[in-house]
Amino acid sequence: MPSYTVTVATGSQWFAGTDDYVYLSLEGTAGCSERHLLDKPFYNDFERGAVDSYDVTVEEDLGEIQLIKIEKRKYWYQDDWYLKYVTVKTPLGDYLEFPCYRWITDEKEIVLRDGRAKLPRDDKTQILKQHRRKELENRQKMYRWKEWHPGFPLSIDAHSHSELPRDIQFDNEKGIDFVLNYSKAMENLYINRFMHMFQSSWSDFADFEKIFVRISNTISEYVMQHWKEDFMFGYQFLNGCNPVLIRRCTEIPKKLPVTMDMVECSLERNLTLEEEVKQGNIFIVDYELLDGVDANKTDPCTIQYLAAPICLLYKNLENKIVPIAIQLGQKPGPENPIFLPSDATYDWLLAKIWVRSSDFHIHQTVTHLLRTHLVSEVFSIAMFRQLPAVHPLFKLLVPHMRFTIAINTKAREQLICECGLFDKANATGGGGHVQMVQKAMKDLTYSSLCFPDEIKAKGMDSKEDIPYYYYRDDGIKVWEAIKSFAEDVIHIYYETDEVVCEDVELQAFVKDIYMYGMRGVKAAGFPKMIKTREKLAEYLTVIIFTTSAQHAAVNFGQYDWCSWIPNAPPTMRCPPPTQKGTVTIEQIVESLPDRGRSCWHLGAVWALSQFQDNELFLGMYPDEHFVEKPVKEAMAKFRKNLDEIVSTITERNKSKKLPYYYLSPDRIPNSVAV
């Protein structure tokens, strides 16, 4: 009688292992095997990380094995089991791999196909077509779209992390408990001792060092020492944790009535302001989105304020970007003066602090939350709804969706919900952050997620003109490496553009993102369908880059750049100045966050800047969803390209007082998971 050797690999995750009855059956083109008992209570098989083998004898040859079925039956209590993969050695000596990488939680039958990636057109037998269709039907019941707030990208239909499908939950929910992590961070940093003085002000700038000294590092110390200087202020627009707002100024806006007389002492080329603009030496950052946003009113004892500044910057003869004019509101007038470097020291310093505070709000809510977390969740939900596990694009994308829905759900549960942690320290808490996302949706376009296109659209693409824009330089390298990898995979499975057009699952995936995730807004430019391999490569690059590199670039620098609170105040407790010559050091300190909000802020930027335990970085694919040699070769080529980028960045950073490493591939997690 024919005999098959079945090998079962169990994951090392928490709770993995089973004391239940586990059955296996094989289904081939010539018939099905009977249920075969692999494990029963007290056998001690399927322990965490174990690989167990069994001989399965059948009465007749089953033909080509198409499916295997794993069934777990409860013995005493429900026991979750993480199944990595199953391999089958046939009587002819062939090996078949059946990837799983899923939790088996209930008394259900799980059906697996072998690991070769297949497009819908590749399935010829009815049983495979039916399996494919049934998998998507079940997924679409589990992964449902829901509107969290009007105007937001749609998100997962779950109120809490525990309601999510088990396969996308964190292995250890405590690891993403924001309340626990923030409190633990404050305890570890020895800053919780200030909490009893919650609403009291600091004495002076040096007083902030009392909560800073325990957590300083090379960059944060440098920020503390140089934050008042104009070069440091300008540098952050290029390489800080929000390097996405600066754009080349092609015309001075009427709402910012800067004159040559105002800025003449800041210009170094003996040119007029208009001539400097024409030569491309003037840059602008406009925080118009904050105009009209309600400041946090959740604490009646502390009035909080927001501003919507406009900042004009200049590239000097040393190629450094420095500020030359700041207006703290959008409407010019006598009570909205334009602050200049030639003004009194504290006037100019407070104006810059207001810009830094506004930058912090845009960074947290738009650059970070909306444009990485929420967008990545859209990609993730659509993938689970429309791409079966056998689809090559599911296999390509699933590592880049790891824990994204879970972290966002936990954030909605604890962090950015009504009365959540976000309200404790941020002036945009209490609903302002919701208004900001709703307003920012109009600028969330497909082209703005295409990294090279967005850099060019802002006029920031010239390395010769702007030589120290490391976010751009490293980002382009990583984008090209990802795109090359996507192209290699696409050409393995899509021989022609016609094959792309005919892939109904791919088109459903793209349509789901457009219609539901992005709300069907035509002006946003998200494609409704994809017709060419070239366009598909760009689309996949957008997804992978957003979920990995873009998130890394704007997330993991938060501690470096925001831990020195005067450089990134999460709230301001006095209104913006309406006239010059009145600002004092006491007024500045009184405007900055009080002790309690400073502590919450520090706990937040510390916790948000930490990598997950057992983090998987770009190019690391330990779960072998792909089994084909050409794809594994493409992965090896991808890793080689990434290693070269790491070497280039490492070499450049050796000579830098302020190293830029957020887009070094060895520091880019595969997915949005924190």
Side-chain angles (χ1 to χ4, degrees), residues 371-389:
R371 298 181 68 87
T372 63
H373 277 261
L374 300 185
V375 169
S376 296
E377 183 175 0
V378 165
F379 297 147
S380 188
I381 297 170
M383 181 198 72
F384 282 112
R385 286 174 53 82
Q386 304 298 348
L387 299 177

Side-chain angles (χ1 to χ4, degrees), residues 479-545:
W479 172 276
E480 292 298 335
I482 293 171
K483 188 176 181 184
S484 176
F485 176 47
E487 288 171 342
D488 288 345
V489 174
I490 287 166
H491 282 81
I492 293 169
Y493 297 101
Y494 296 90
E495 297 92 339
T496 63
D497 291 343
E498 286 71 27
V499 180
V500 173
C501 294
E502 293 167 3
D503 185 348
V504 293
E505 290 168 349
L506 162 63
Q507 304 304 338
F509 168 63
V510 172
K511 187 176 180 181
D512 230 27
I513 291 171
Y514 170 77
M515 284 296 297
Y516 297 100
M518 299 306 174
R519 314 303 295 265
V521 179
K522 189 175 182 181
F526 284 85
K528 296 181 184 177
M529 65 178 301
I530 291 179
K531 299 180 180 179
T532 67
R533 292 188 293 178
E534 181 182 5
K535 194 66 179 176
L536 177 57
E538 179 189 79
Y539 196 81
L540 295 174
T541 305
V542 165
I543 294 173
I544 296 173
F545 187 89

Side-chain angles (χ1 to χ4, degrees), residues 68 198 241 268 513 564 571 611 643 667:
I68 64 171
F198 192 90
C241 61
E268 300 179 354
I513 291 171
W564 179 247
T571 189
F611 294 121
D643 288 343
R667 292 172 178 251

Side-chain angles (χ1 to χ4, degrees), residues 268-293:
E268 300 179 354
R269 294 180 175 85
N270 295 319
L271 300 173
T272 66
L273 179 59
E274 289 72 19
E275 289 170 337
E276 295 278 18
V277 169
K278 287 180 181 177
Q279 289 205 4
N281 297 323
I282 304 296
F283 301 83
I284 193 167
V285 180
D286 190 347
Y287 297 92
E288 182 180 12
L289 186 131
L290 281 164
D291 194 31
V293 172

Side-chain angles (χ1 to χ4, degrees), residues 21 51 86 109 112 114 116 149 166 203 210 260 279 282 296 408 425-426 439 460 468 494:
Y21 292 97
V51 178
V86 178
E109 180 182 75
L112 303 176
D114 79 81
R116 293 170 295 179
H149 282 295
R166 182 68 182 90
S203 303
K210 291 179 180 177
M260 179 62 182
Q279 289 205 4
I282 304 296
N296 193 338
N408 285 3
N426 293 290
K439 293 175 72 172
M460 301 295 292
Y468 304 123
Y494 296 90

